[in-house]
Amino acid sequence: DVQNTVQIHDTYVVSQTAEGSVIVDQHALHEQILYEMSMQRVTQGKLESQRLLIPETVQLNATQVALIEDRQALLGKLGIELTPLDGRTCAVQAFPTLLSRANVVDFVRDLFDVLEQSTALEPDHVLNAVLSMAACKAAIKAGQKLTDQEMRQLLLDAEWAESSCRCPHGRPTTIRFTLSDLEKQFLRT
């Protein structure tokens, strides 16, 4: 149950709870939530995607273009549809709806950087690296002003996440203070 929620420095969400208060790093928490959502959806099948009305073109290097065919199963799980146009250019035909905040071209370039660097890794490790990168790209950014509803939704979504205390990179997402902790800080006990 969250109440009296406020954003400070357009980066942290502070909320009063029944036990005291909670301070949330909005980017780290949203990143973990998106990571868990996408991992859950990928293990059940694939991420939902949307066909782009106007396909975006992306320049890749020759090695990366060759990876399109090699990683077709992974791209399909991610909901990304690419069509090679020539030796270095691809058209992004479909993109995951979960990543709607991400820039399509930048995301695909970063995706192929990860794929190119992880050719020797097990498929599960590659998937983990890609979903971690995807969550980071699509998450609310530090410095982004949130509405009251967006702050409340973020805190409600945190209750759904299995492991919302750390982001995929291992950074803490939340700091909790009990009323007793605060009272000790102000020498009230």
Side-chain angles (χ1 to χ4, degrees):
D1 182 34
V2 294
Q3 43 184 287
N4 300 330
T5 303
V6 65
Q7 185 183 35
I8 56 174
H9 300 286
D10 293 342
T11 300
Y12 303 100
V13 176
V14 181
S15 182
Q16 178 180 323
T17 65
E19 299 81 31
S21 61
V22 63
I23 303 171
V24 168
D25 178 320
Q26 66 192 32
H27 173 74
L29 178 59
H30 194 227
E31 181 180 354
Q32 179 61 26
I33 291 166
L34 289 176
Y35 173 78
E36 286 190 29
M37 283 178 151
S38 57
M39 185 60 84
Q40 182 182 54
R41 289 180 184 168
V42 163
T43 55
Q44 293 172 352
K46 67 176 201 151
L47 294 181
E48 290 177 17
S49 65
Q50 183 169 352
R51 294 200 64 76
L52 301 179
L53 250 44
I54 301 171
E56 299 263 358
T57 57
V58 181
Q59 297 292 317
L60 300 173
N61 66 41
T63 306
Q64 292 171 332
V65 171
L67 283 173
I68 293 173
E69 193 171 319
D70 293 347
R71 297 295 186 165
Q72 198 59 46
L74 176 62
L75 293 171
K77 278 186 170 246
L78 295 173
I80 297 174
E81 185 182 320
L82 296 173
T83 305
L85 299 176
D86 60 33
R88 298 182 72 91
T89 308
C90 297
V92 182
Q93 305 287 345
F95 196 71
T97 55
L98 192 65
L99 304 179
S100 62
R101 290 179 182 263
N103 176 291
V104 173
V105 173
D106 291 344
F107 177 82
V108 171
R109 278 193 198 119
D110 291 344
L111 169 64
F112 276 89
D113 286 344
V114 169
L115 293 178
E116 190 175 27
Q117 295 166 12
S118 60
T119 54
L121 293 179
E122 292 291 319
D124 287 347
H125 292 295
V126 175
L127 180 62
N128 186 47
V130 167
L131 291 180
S132 178
M133 184 266 301
C136 186
K137 295 279 181 197
I140 297 165
K141 303 297 178 223
Q144 182 178 336
K145 185 84 174 140
L146 301 179
T147 65
D148 289 344
Q149 178 58 35
E150 288 170 325
M151 287 186 280
R152 279 192 294 278
Q153 189 61 53
L154 181 64
L155 295 173
L156 288 171
D157 288 347
E159 293 173 12
W160 167 88
E162 287 182 29
S163 177
S164 64
C165 62
R166 298 218 174 264
C167 79
H169 301 106
R171 290 188 318 115
T173 62
T174 307
I175 299 172
R176 296 183 187 283
F177 292 101
T178 64
L179 194 50
S180 174
D181 294 335
L182 290 173
E183 288 172 342
K184 286 177 189 173
Q185 290 296 315
F186 289 101
L187 305 176
R188 289 187 164 270
T189 58

